[in-house]
Amino acid sequence: MGTTLGADLSGLTLAPGVYTVAAGTTNLAGLLTLDGGGNANAAWVFQMPSTLITSSNSDVNVINTGSDAGVYWNVGSSATIDVN
């Protein structure tokens, strides 16, 4: 459940929530910003039905939240995390 997104998360700014991410050649090729909107306990859940693949130098920036925030990746089969 939650919001369905395309395969590449690059360039998006997302509020806390549950997201289903389509399969693709890469799921993150650049910058993904997660904006907690001032919620110290913000949480993001990414459901990847098959794989999670990141490109080199990709980045996830978590902003406007506290130390109790969380980012969770539920990956169906495998994760490939490139360098940097």
Side-chain angles (χ1 to χ4, degrees):
M1 299 188 104
T3 302
T4 300
L5 302 174
D8 191 355
L9 302 172
S10 300
L12 298 179
T13 298
L14 300 175
V18 178
Y19 299 93
T20 299
V21 182
T25 304
T26 186
N27 300 114
L28 187 58
L31 174 64
L32 168 63
T33 301
L34 304 178
D35 187 344
N39 180 350
N41 301 310
W44 295 263
V45 177
F46 293 94
Q47 300 179 101
M48 320 295 283
S50 59
T51 59
L52 166 63
I53 302 169
T54 67
S55 297
S56 58
N57 300 312
S58 56
D59 195 22
V60 177
N61 190 16
V62 181
I63 62 172
N64 299 320
T65 189
S67 60
D68 289 331
V71 180
Y72 307 93
W73 304 88
N74 182 10
V75 179
S77 63
S78 66
T80 301
I81 310 297
D82 210 328
V83 298
N84 299 326

